[in-house]
């Protein structure tokens, strides 16, 4: 039986999603919990491989399991066996042919800036504290330029395994929520560090975004924003 699990996690203590020998990762923690809950758990797939320190509010996993609790009770069975920083929000039997990564139509991310003049211990590792003045109109214009199909090679490391750099952005916008200024983006898929590089460039020089799309180089874009402000919010199928 194939399960679909929706997870949220605080990425702070993990070295990203993907299992790495001897290092704490979200995947390793989930695999251990699955092994303690089911007779077998195979073909684990994830909608988006988050980097070290990146969080998730709606990560999606598919996995083939045998034995153990029924699908609707899998979340309750897994959660006591997971670290406090990881929670399974829901569990269900997956539709026929479902694959967490390949079946996904789009993924939505949020990057949080904390713009209060003073830092907050509650925002540490949850956002990027940036008390300097920001031109929110210029940021909005930069985000608007991202919509549609573009070559985003300027916003991923120059040394990369990617061969195709074109991605389609369905929506991109900055949203003010009190002391938070959030960048929200929905796209079919992403290059490595793409969202964080976009944020870093927009914060440094928002007017450069249109010129960097389709023809820019990574050396011409801005710094990569810290991982602590990035959240995988949702995956659409």
């Amino acid at each position: 039986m194939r399960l679909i699990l929706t997870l949220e996690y605080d990425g702070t203590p993990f070295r990203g999603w993907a299992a790495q020998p001897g290092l704490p990762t979200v995947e390793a923690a989930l695999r251990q919990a699955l092994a303690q809950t089911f007779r077998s758990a195979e073909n684990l797939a994830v909608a988006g491989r988050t980097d070290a320190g990146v969080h998730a509010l709606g990560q999606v996993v598919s996995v083939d399991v045998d034995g153990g609790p029924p699908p609707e009770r899998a979340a309750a069975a897994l959660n006591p066996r997971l670290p406090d920083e990881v929670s399974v929000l829901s569990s269900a039997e997956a539709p026929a042919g479902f694959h967490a990564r390949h079946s996904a139509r789009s993924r939505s991310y949020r990057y949080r800036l904390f713009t209060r003049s003073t830092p907050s211990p509650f925002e540490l590792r949850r956002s990027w504290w940036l008390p300097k003045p920001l031109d929110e109109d210029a940021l909005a214009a930069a985000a608007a330029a991202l919509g549609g199909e573009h070559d985003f090679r300027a916003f991923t490391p120059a040394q990369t395994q990617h061969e195709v750099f074109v991605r389609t952005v369905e929506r991109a916008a900055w949203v003010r929520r009190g002391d938070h200024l959030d960048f929200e983006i929905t796209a079919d898929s992403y290059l490595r560090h793409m969202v964080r590089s976009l944020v870093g460039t927009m914060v440094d020089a928002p007017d450069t975004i249109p010129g960097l799309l389709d023809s820019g180089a990574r050396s011409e874009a801005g710094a990569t924003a810290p991982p602590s402000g990035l959240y995988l919010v949702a995956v659409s199928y």
Side-chain angles (χ1 to χ4, degrees):
M1 176 183 63
R2 178 160 293 183
L3 278 181
I4 178 172
L5 306 174
T6 302
L7 281 67
E8 66 178 10
Y9 50 83
D10 174 356
T12 303
F14 301 107
R15 295 295 295 272
W17 166 267
Q20 303 176 59
L23 295 176
T25 67
V26 184
E27 180 184 6
L30 179 60
R31 285 187 180 276
Q32 181 175 347
L34 287 166
Q36 295 170 348
T37 305
F38 297 95
R39 186 163 52 243
S40 67
E42 301 176 344
N43 301 319
L44 180 67
V46 67
R49 291 188 174 189
T50 50
D51 291 332
V54 175
H55 317 296
L57 302 176
Q59 178 71 278
V60 178
V61 169
S62 58
V63 60
D64 295 332
V65 298
D66 183 46
E72 65 273 11
R73 293 179 54 198
L78 287 166
N79 281 328
R81 294 165 174 154
L82 286 165
D84 291 341
E85 294 85 1
V86 183
S87 178
V88 180
L89 300 177
S90 64
S91 57
E93 184 172 358
F98 179 85
H99 187 281
R101 179 185 174 192
H102 300 314
S103 301
R105 297 179 59 190
S106 66
R107 298 156 180 84
S108 297
Y109 281 86
R110 176 182 300 138
Y111 194 96
R112 306 212 82 181
L113 301 181
F114 183 57
T115 61
R116 196 175 73 180
S117 61
T118 55
S120 168
F122 301 108
E123 292 294 327
L124 187 65
R125 304 182 185 92
R126 299 288 191 283
S127 60
W128 180 14
W129 180 49
L130 205 63
K132 71 176 186 179
L134 295 168
D135 186 339
E136 296 188 27
D137 289 337
L139 289 174
L146 300 175
E149 186 178 278
H150 299 284
D151 186 319
F152 286 92
R153 72 183 65 220
F155 304 100
T156 193
Q159 301 298 320
T160 179
Q161 295 181 348
H162 290 295
E163 296 180 356
V164 177
F165 298 90
V166 174
R167 297 293 186 270
T168 301
V169 174
E170 296 178 11
R171 174 184 177 271
W174 286 90
V175 181
R176 167 62 71 178
R177 296 183 173 99
D179 289 327
H180 290 102
L181 184 58
D182 298 339
F183 174 62
E184 299 184 346
I185 182 170
T186 298
D188 56 348
S189 62
Y190 299 83
L191 304 173
R192 186 165 183 257
H193 295 173
M194 176 175 149
V195 178
R196 292 165 54 201
S197 298
L198 284 168
V199 170
T201 302
M202 283 188 280
V203 166
D204 289 343
D207 294 342
T208 65
I209 291 291
L212 290 168
L213 291 172
D214 300 319
S215 61
R218 182 67 188 95
S219 59
E220 299 170 341
T224 302
S228 57
L230 185 58
Y231 297 75
L232 173 58
V233 175
V235 184
S236 297
Y237 292 93

